[in-house]
Every structure is written in C-alpha cells, then in structure tokens.
Amino acid sequence: MNVLVIGKGGREHALVWKLKQSPRVTQVFCAPGNAGTALDGVNVPIEANDVDGLIRFAKKERIVLTVVGPEDPLSHGIVDHFRKAALTIFGPTKAAAQLEASKAFAKKLMRDADVPTAEFRVFDHPEPARTFIETREYPVVVKADGLAAGKGVMVCATKQEALAAVERIMVREEFGRAAGRQVVIEKRLDGEELSVLALVSGRTIIPLAPAQDHKRALDNDEGPNTGGMGAYSPAPLATPALLDEIESHALVPTVHALKRRRTPFRGVLYAGVIVTNQGPRILEYNCRFGDPETQPVLMRLKTDLFELLLATAEDRLSELVDKPLEWDPRPAVCVVMASQGYPGSYPKGKLITGLEEAALLPNVKVFHAGTKFEGGHTMTDGGRVLGVTALGETLAEAKRHAYDAVAKIHFAGACYRRDIADKALKKSVVSGP
Ligand SMILES: Nc1ncnc2c1ncn2[C@@H]1O[C@H](COP(=O)(O)OP(=O)(O)O)[C@@H](O)[C@H]1O
Ligand SMILES: [Mg+2]
C-alpha cells in the first residue's frame, strides 16, 4: 500500500521513516519532503498547500492514507477536500482544526468545557485590551489569535511589554491582518512545560508517550522562542497520575465538546501543558504532531504506526483501544542543529558533511528538516536543519549518543543547544534512579 506524507520538516521525516517500517506499506511518498525523506521514501515536488495537486497525485498513485504534518494545510481545510474526493486522510477537518488555528476559539472552548487553563480575556480592539492590561495586578501573556508560526505569543514581564505586544499584534499587524484581528490576554503561569500527544477519533483517545520540548534558542532556556531546539521522551515530569489527570480533565472534555458541536476531532491532539503548583494547566492545543517531539516519540514507538494512523483516519480507533501501544523502554533524545541566525534570518545552501559517519553509530537516527539534495551533496535549506536523535539505556546515555552523533556532523554556522534533557537529568538525580 502506498502512503503520502505532506510537509518537509523533521516531523515529516520521522513519520516517513516510521511508516516505511510497516509490513503493509510499500512506498512512502513525501510532498515536498527534504533530503532525508528522499532517502527513506520518495519525494514528490508538490507544495503542502497545493491541495488540488496533492489530490491528483493521491488518486494517480492509489494512496491509501495521506498524513498531514503541518498546521497550515489543516487550517485551510485540506482534510475536508480530501474526504470530498473520497480519499482517506489523517488529520482534523477545518472546523476542528480551529482548536489550533484560533487561540480565542480554543480558550473559549476550554472555558465552556471546564478544562483547566490560564484566566483570560479576548479582545478585538486595542483600546479595551490596553485598559485590561493597565488594571491587571499580575503579569500577562499576550497572544495573537491566529497562526503565527510560533512567533505570535509574548510572555511579558511588565505592563510596558504587554502594551507593546498589543501594538505589534493589533496595530502593526506584524503577524498578519487575520492573525492579529483578535488578541488573547491571559495570566502568566509558572511551571515546567510538557507535551502530551494523543490519537483521537470519535470519543476514543489513545495517548502517546509524553515528551518535553526546548523552546528557547539558547542553553538554560535563554534567547528567543523557536520552533523547538530539542526534545526527549519519556518525560520524568509526566508521572502516570499527572497523565491521567491531563487525560480526564483536558483531553476527554475537549474531545467531547468538539463532538457535541458536530465538529468531531480525528487526528493527533497535542496538549501544550504547564505544570503549576496548583496542577496542570493547558496553554494551548495543537492539531498535529509536534516538531521535534515526534522524533524521539516515534523512535521509541514499536507499534505499527500505519495501522494506528489508518484506524484513526477511518474513525475506528475504538477497535485498538484495548491493545496498549508498545514502546521501547529506552529513553530517546533529539538535538536540533540549526542554521546560524535562527530563529531570525539565516543563510541557506551550506554543505553538510559527516551524515554517513553519524548514521553508522548504533541507536542513532539523523532526521532531516531544512535540507535539500543538490549536485550530489546535502545542503542546508532552512532554519532547523537536522534533528539528531538517539536511544540509550538511560536518559544520560541517550543524550551522550545524540551529542556523539552531533559531533560528527558539520556545516558552516551550525548552532545547537548543549543542554537538551539536562532538566530531566537533574530531576532524576534528586528523585533517585
Ligand atoms: N499563560 C502562560 N504562562 C506562562 N507562559 C506561557 C503562557 N502561555 C504561553 N506561554 C509560553 O509561551 C509559549 C508559546 O505559547 P503557546 O500558547 O504554546 O503558543 P504557540 O506555540 O502557538 O506560540 C509556551 O510554550 C510557553 O512557554
Ligand atoms: Mg506552543
């Protein structure tokens, strides 16, 4: 059976690599893909937003399952279009994808469904937003309503910063007119963050192994926010009790609320959680696999991913609910190597060397993100370039393996954090083995 993955990042390379391992899968196509998806699958030169082109391709190649990586095509309704063309596709409809595409929608749904989340207000004019900020006695976070490629959220230390954030989002429309039409202002919370991803179809929810991302560009969580500089799974922070609480207090009421509104969710529901002293709070929902969390999570998944995603897309996940997912007990760590300047502007077209040497290391998989193959060479082609991922008997060993592989790989201006997984390692020292 032939499968199509849409996108070109590290997450999509991990999906291609894992889907390809299914005994039922013949060929995995990736549109448009990168140099890594071309090695583990077959690239197709169709952009992720070219829905007509993708549908034509899926029909021609008799694709049995299409898996959407990024949020943009989901928010534009790619799933609705594929279903109308009688094609099977993994992901939520446009209506359900509002959960990620509109933060105001998500916050209101959470309030209606009693999901624990930060106190908030939604504004569609700057003036009342300013007044609200002036009268708050706590620090706030200001969020553009719409998709902003991870740049539309400002965690503010002062009122001045919060007022400036409103200016940037609503007046200067720095994240686009549509994304800045509304703003969510919410209470700033304190705690460690956790990503909880679950497969969802109908009322069935199957959580995946939890992971922790590293959002900031620099060591010790300094520097600007990025798409993610590294991740590990499992997350020692995510005890079974905490995961149960997140499932029953957040995932279940959210899935039920969407179903009641006649916009049932099918796909992967990703809860961005902050664990406060008062318990877990949902910061946001995403409607697709996380990047880079997917890389260490899929590295550990032993269950056939194709079966899982097909069952989700066909709305028969309930058939699998009694079969627990199988995980490699070993932890996995992913270190993102980025171009110099990322998340700001950065050069492209730098030669990457050492990929073959890194691939020879046991327990290592180098997932490509912003790469392309040109003239017999692999070159950089994006901000985040590679997700170097490794398994180890312990988290410390997984980290060591990942950084051993990183040390073999070179390109001009390569940047990466040196402290991926350290937070969890410190914790395990405190709480014992
Ligand atoms: N209420 C909050 N309190 C503290 N930090 C927050 C809050 N909301 C968001 N953040 C921080 O900002 C980051 C991005 O916010 P999020 O809502 O996940 O939006 P996006 O991922 O779309 O940029 C979070 O990962 C978190 O670090
Ligand atoms: Mg987020």
Side-chain angles (χ1 to χ4, degrees):
M1 296 209 228
N2 290 342
V3 177
L4 171 64
V5 173
I6 296 174
K8 60 177 181 183
R11 155 186 60 205
E12 287 78 13
H13 186 191
L15 287 166
V16 166
W17 171 79
K18 192 75 215 174
L19 287 165
K20 182 72 197 211
Q21 291 170 16
S22 167
R24 292 179 63 197
V25 169
T26 322
Q27 193 79 267
V28 185
F29 295 99
C30 192
N34 58 38
T37 59
L39 291 174
D40 288 311
V42 178
N43 283 358
V44 189
I46 306 175
E47 288 303 317
N49 280 323
D50 178 3
V51 176
D52 293 338
L54 291 166
I55 287 179
R56 268 198 303 278
F57 177 82
K59 286 189 168 162
K60 182 167 77 74
E61 294 295 334
R62 301 179 186 285
I63 299 293
V64 290
L65 174 68
T66 297
V67 181
V68 188
E71 59 273 23
D72 252 15
L74 293 171
S75 73
H76 291 130
I78 190 171
V79 168
D80 310 61
H81 290 294
F82 265 65
R83 289 213 197 135
K84 217 174 280 163
L87 291 162
T88 304
I89 185 163
F90 176 90
T93 58
K94 181 176 181 168
Q98 282 290 97
L99 199 56
E100 172 165 7
S102 167
K103 290 197 188 288
F105 173 91
K107 291 291 290 195
K108 289 177 190 159
L109 184 137
M110 285 194 258
R111 180 160 59 197
D112 293 349
D114 258 334
V115 172
T117 187
E119 269 176 53
F120 73 100
R121 285 274 297 274
V122 178
F123 297 96
D124 40 29
H125 293 290
E127 201 41 50
R130 291 187 193 111
T131 311
F132 182 73
I133 289 168
E134 297 284 7
T135 51
R136 279 325 87 188
E137 272 158 19
Y138 46 78
V140 297
V141 179
V142 182
K143 304 184 172 188
D145 172 55
L147 293 179
K151 300 195 174 93
V153 168
M154 276 141 281
V155 180
C156 304
T158 62
K159 287 188 176 162
Q160 280 64 37
E161 278 180 45
L163 294 170
V166 170
E167 197 71 14
R168 292 180 60 193
I169 294 170
M170 301 197 96
V171 181
R172 299 215 292 268
E173 298 177 343
E174 279 182 33
F175 309 99
R177 169 162 289 182
R181 222 174 41 74
Q182 287 190 308
V183 74
V184 173
I185 302 181
E186 63 181 44
K187 191 169 183 174
R188 180 174 164 183
L189 304 176
D190 243 346
E192 237 184 284
E193 287 178 55
L194 185 67
S195 304
V196 178
L197 284 76
L199 297 173
V200 173
S201 91
R203 287 177 189 276
T204 308
I205 299 173
I206 301 186
L208 303 177
Q212 261 180 298
D213 186 7
H214 297 63
K215 278 275 163 216
R216 301 297 195 97
L218 307 174
D219 285 7
N220 301 315
D221 291 333
E222 285 169 18
N225 259 334
T226 70
M229 294 301 289
Y232 53 89
S233 170
L237 172 69
T239 59
L242 183 70
L243 289 175
D244 278 350
E245 188 175 346
I246 292 167
E247 183 173 351
S248 57
H249 288 81
L251 300 179
V252 168
T254 300
V255 165
H256 287 199
L258 285 168
K259 198 160 191 318
R260 270 198 310 276
R261 293 168 182 220
R262 299 185 193 288
T263 54
F265 193 94
R266 228 188 268 177
V268 65
L269 182 58
Y270 164 149
V273 182
I274 189 163
V275 184
T276 72
N277 289 336
Q278 277 91 48
R281 301 286 180 269
I282 306 303
L283 290 180
E284 65 157 353
Y285 281 116
N286 293 322
C287 291
R288 33 86 192 166
F289 283 101
D291 191 339
E293 297 96 317
T294 300
Q295 289 82 313
V297 168
L298 292 188
M299 191 98 173
R300 298 185 53 231
L301 181 69
K302 289 183 159 176
T303 310
D304 187 332
L305 183 67
F306 172 73
E307 300 289 352
L308 286 171
L309 301 191
L310 186 67
T312 308
E314 291 177 341
D315 205 12
R316 42 176 192 82
L317 200 56
S318 55
E319 291 170 15
L320 303 181
V321 80
D322 295 324
K323 273 200 272 174
L325 301 185
E326 276 186 75
W327 297 98
D328 192 321
R330 292 175 298 168
V333 171
C334 169
V335 178
V336 170
M337 297 180 77
S339 297
Q340 188 157 32
Y342 176 78
S345 59
Y346 50 82
K348 290 183 182 179
K350 304 289 179 196
L351 177 69
I352 307 172
T353 59
L355 289 168
E356 293 79 7
E357 289 85 338
L360 291 175
L361 295 173
N363 304 314
V364 168
K365 176 67 188 174
V366 179
F367 294 113
H368 290 231
T371 68
K372 69 175 170 195
F373 195 69
E374 215 175 60
H377 299 291
T378 305
M379 319 286 268
T380 68
D381 193 38
R384 293 187 292 168
V385 176
L386 301 166
V388 182
T389 311
L391 291 162
E393 291 303 326
T394 60
L395 192 63
E397 193 184 85
K399 177 188 170 185
R400 207 158 47 237
H401 287 162
Y403 279 102
D404 285 348
V406 166
K408 306 251 181 234
I409 300 171
H410 301 278
F411 55 89
C415 299
Y416 54 90
R417 281 179 61 158
R418 326 238 155 194
D419 66 343
I420 302 302
D422 280 1
K423 222 182 265 175
L425 288 168
K426 280 186 200 124
K427 205 173 284 145
S428 37
V429 172
V430 176
S431 60

